[in-house]
Amino acid sequence: MKLMLIAGQSGAGLTTALGALEDLGYRAASGFPAELLGSFAACCMRQGCDGAVCCPVPGEKDAAAVLDAMEQLREDGVSASILYLEADHQVLINRYKFTRRPHPLSVTGVTTEQAILAERDILMPLRAAADYKLDTSRLSARQLRETVLRIATGTQDQILSVNVVSFGFKYGIPADADLVLDVRFLPNPYYVPALRPKNGTDPQVRAYVFRDGTADDYMEKLCDMLDFLIPQYQREGKAVLTIAVGCTGGRHRSVAVAQALAEHVQHCGIPIAAVHRDWQKG
């Protein structure tokens, strides 16, 4: 049998992840102390099903107890793994503000921010021992469920999807960008009257942007970098990589390069979405 421990920061989606595994047929339990993990695994074995569990970790001793219990299960022949969920500090604060629920470590005189930081320190050993790490900061509940299911079914090598967003610097950098690329050094179709009303998806505009070979050289180096980075992000458990490509107005150069970049990523067999945020403004 398989047993997956769902661990990580409160507010990072532990309940959603556990529910996804339960829907997949796992016997799911929440709030199990480490001392009962062995009994839970034995119950799953008798019933012939896989198990998924969340254990409370209010202190460092509890984290150590969970790790000891997981190690004992592995010695007993159980395929035991840890899925660790985390999110950006401000994202967690905002989630607690939205739900208006107290953090599990919040007590009188302890703010939500202090509780989040304290829990992060307590959980560091579990994070270090995790088989899978998943940052849920930019994931919807649906995306989180899909990602957990891919991990559970052994297709975690396809866990990463890529969003390429073209934008205009004069309208601001996209807030969710992981990588920001500046293509304002490329030939600008804006100064060609026949091309100005078109956008970067037009073949003539794209040909103009790529006309002198500079864009081709840039794309070659950029694709080499992404071919290296994407497997690293996958290994770390990142679910969505957002690449923002910017020019002055977000209509011509950034769109053309974003389209070319999306085509390369798609050819690599990675889920890709291209969004042109400002192409009707620039």
Side-chain angles (χ1 to χ4, degrees):
M1 65 155 287
K2 293 186 294 184
L3 185 139
M4 181 171 286
L5 172 70
I6 308 295
Q9 297 175 275
S10 303
L14 306 184
T15 301
T16 299
L18 190 65
L21 292 175
E22 186 173 23
D23 291 344
L24 191 61
Y26 281 61
R27 182 179 178 89
S30 181
F32 255 62
E35 293 79 5
L36 294 180
L37 272 178
S39 299
F40 177 73
C43 179
C44 292
M45 285 183 183
R46 287 194 300 269
Q47 296 183 357
C49 62
D50 296 322
V53 62
C54 282
C55 293
V57 186
E60 293 179 4
K61 291 183 179 179
D62 302 282
V66 169
L67 289 175
D68 289 343
M70 292 293 285
E71 183 58 33
Q72 183 61 55
L73 287 174
R74 295 187 182 106
E75 291 178 3
D76 293 340
V78 176
S79 177
S81 60
I82 300 174
L83 170 61
Y84 186 89
L85 306 184
E86 59 190 348
D88 292 341
H89 184 73
Q90 190 59 50
V91 169
L92 292 175
I93 292 175
N94 291 341
R95 288 176 181 174
Y96 274 103
K97 285 182 179 178
F98 179 77
T99 61
R100 298 183 180 180
R101 297 188 63 186
H103 189 280
L105 298 187
S106 289
V107 293
T108 302
V110 177
T111 65
T112 298
E113 182 173 5
Q114 291 171 330
I116 291 171
L117 292 173
E119 183 184 52
R120 180 171 293 168
D121 289 340
I122 291 170
L123 292 171
M124 285 304 292
L126 276 169
R127 187 184 190 280
D131 301 277
Y132 311 99
K133 300 183 186 72
L134 183 56
D135 187 332
T136 69
S137 301
R138 300 188 182 97
L139 297 184
S140 65
R142 178 185 61 81
Q143 290 172 322
L144 174 55
R145 285 177 55 84
E146 291 175 351
T147 302
V148 171
L149 292 177
R150 286 200 294 270
I151 291 174
T153 55
T155 56
Q156 66 270 19
D157 57 326
Q158 299 177 13
I159 193 172
L160 180 70
S161 61
V162 177
N163 294 332
V164 181
V165 182
S166 66
F167 72 96
F169 275 97
K170 67 181 181 180
Y171 302 114
I173 297 173
D176 60 345
D178 296 299
L179 301 174
V180 178
L181 308 174
D182 184 351
V183 297
R184 287 175 291 187
F185 61 90
L186 296 175
N188 193 352
Y190 178 85
Y191 296 108
V192 180
L195 299 180
R196 183 179 301 179
K198 303 178 186 293
N199 62 63
T201 62
D202 186 283
Q204 291 181 311
V205 172
R206 181 162 172 168
Y208 187 87
V209 172
F210 282 77
R211 65 176 185 164
D212 65 358
T214 302
D216 289 307
D217 292 342
Y218 179 66
M219 283 299 303
E220 182 179 354
K221 299 178 187 303
L222 182 58
C223 290
D224 283 345
M225 180 182 73
L226 288 179
D227 290 345
F228 168 78
L229 285 177
I230 287 175
Q232 312 308 316
Y233 284 126
Q234 287 176 317
R235 191 172 296 113
E236 180 63 19
K238 192 173 183 62
V240 180
L241 173 65
T242 300
I243 305 170
V245 184
C247 62
T248 303
R251 184 181 183 89
H252 300 110
R253 293 169 290 181
S254 61
V255 174
V257 172
Q259 284 291 116
L261 189 59
E263 291 167 8
H264 171 78
V265 174
Q266 187 174 37
H267 288 158
C268 295
I270 296 171
I272 178 73
V275 178
H276 304 303
R277 193 191 71 177
D278 301 325
W279 66 346
Q280 294 182 335
K281 302 176 187 176

